[in-house]
Amino acid sequence: MPELKTIHHWINGKLQASQSGRTSPVWNPATGNQQAWVGLADCSEVDSAVQSSKDAFLLWRSTPLSRRTEILFKFRELVDANRREIADLLTLEHGKTTADALGEVARGLENIEFACGVSSHLKGGYSEQASRGVDVYQIRQPLGVVAGITPFNFPAMVPMWMFANAIACGNTFLLKPSERDPSVSLLLAELLQRAGLPDGVFNVVHGDKVAVDRLLSHPDIQAVSFVGSTPIAREVYQKATQNGKRVQALGGAKNHMLVLPDADIEMAADAAISAAFGSAGERCMAISVVVAVGDVAEPIIEAIKARISKIKVGSGGEPGTEMGPVISPEHRNRILNHLEDAVKQGARLAVDGREDAATSGPGFFVGCSLIDGMKPGMRCYDEEIFGPVLGIVRVSSYREGLDMINSCPFGNGTAIFTRDGGAARQFQSEVEVGMVGINVPIPVPVSYYSFGGWKSSLFGDLHMYGPEGIQFYTRSKVVTSRWPDAGTSSVDLGFPQVR
Ligand code: NAD
């Protein structure tokens, strides 16, 4: 057996082997084979990466906007030219299909493109003659060293959501990617270096809770962006805010698709299938529950079943594959356990993906499942499953469906399928969810809006990327200025007011 390679950190422009002696396996989910180890940082390794980021900050924050933009443009060109190489790495470690991986890269590119406009995004305001001889203006400045902690399901795009704007605004960025698919972060680091980014502006430290906890308490980290499951997002938010840091912590989801009786059933079924089973359901914006209003339940179930039977499950890199494996053997078992519990709690598996899991060989495959009769209170409804499982909840009215969605503790994404513009408009106003689709099942905002859920899907005030990303990674300063002018100067001990 050839010895497995170990994936290293990227600190100060170079690969650095972890000295901690702790490692984690990196699998190929399609074959079930381990393909590498990743070194897990201890506190001293995190400290050395933070020091490198801190040292790089002084120079980087004073680098002219046009130079920062030039580097980002070059990086954009390099990512574009290496789309396939990035996508192949995603498929190898995450398991997603090539088409899906290319889609991830494309959505990441959008964020780099937005960041290329930083000179416009950072423009402040200027008020001439706010008082006699006095002008007032606002500038936005970078925070310093900022950290990003990212999940396994979008190992290229989610880091790009964060670091493109963070770096453009003049911060230095320390990435702690998921230990389950860590390699793509190093390819991105290399491309940033080739684009001309100075060493230390972008560092990568691999690790687990030990590294994360050190980042959350490190005095030189000014802000933390986190994306992952809700319990960890909540914990990260609490710890980091207690330590005085600015935090945006995006958590898990349970996304409902409300289908009204007047919906185009074929369109709704296509959308439900694509949004539930794309990327094997491992998307925070996946649709996991179809809320069928009135008579729409039977036709939509039949339309969904017909489509599931045609989905080609296989290795993500094989041409024609539509759905790949899930990330790990533990995760596959967790999904299977959810399906068993659903049956025990009275739901019916209209399509049972457990059989495909049993016959699929050593890769981490689970077939598509459709749970009919799902209800709040059942574990399969109350918890995020994050796998290829779609539930059907039957309700008698729009109001009953809406109340259920609004009672759900998660509030990431949702969609309504209808031909009625008035109903759609009412839904967009009444639903308590951060991202809403109208006949669009995965309403991930384009890069010039911002991404974020409500309730347990986001801890913090600002959403990620887009205008709120620029706000998150900068501090505002307001300057009130007056230049010597004999006519406007006098001694006045009263509180300053406009004259
Ligand atoms: P996860 O919460 O297990 O891990 C996320 C990050 O936290 C990883 O970098 C991981 O190393 C780190 N981590 C793991 N355990 C930790 C601990 N105990 N303390 C501190 N850090 C820890 O999430 P995941 O399984 O990698 O990703 C899937 C989850 O992410 C799903 O819940 C999904 O909904 C969510 N997600 C949310 C969004 C969003 O935008 N809201 C986007 C993508 C994924």
Side-chain angles (χ1 to χ4, degrees), residues 150-153 176 179-180 226-229 232 251-252 284 384 451:
T150 52
F152 80 84
N153 65 323
K176 204 303 286 170
E179 64 278 33
R180 292 190 264 184
F226 173 92
V227 176
S229 55
I232 297 176
C284 67
E384 180 183 41
F451 182 107

Side-chain angles (χ1 to χ4, degrees), residues 337-354:
N337 189 264
H338 261 293
L339 295 172
E340 274 151 33
D341 275 7
V343 175
K344 279 188 208 149
Q345 292 189 306
R348 185 178 73 86
L349 291 182
V351 180
D352 187 348
R354 290 176 297 181

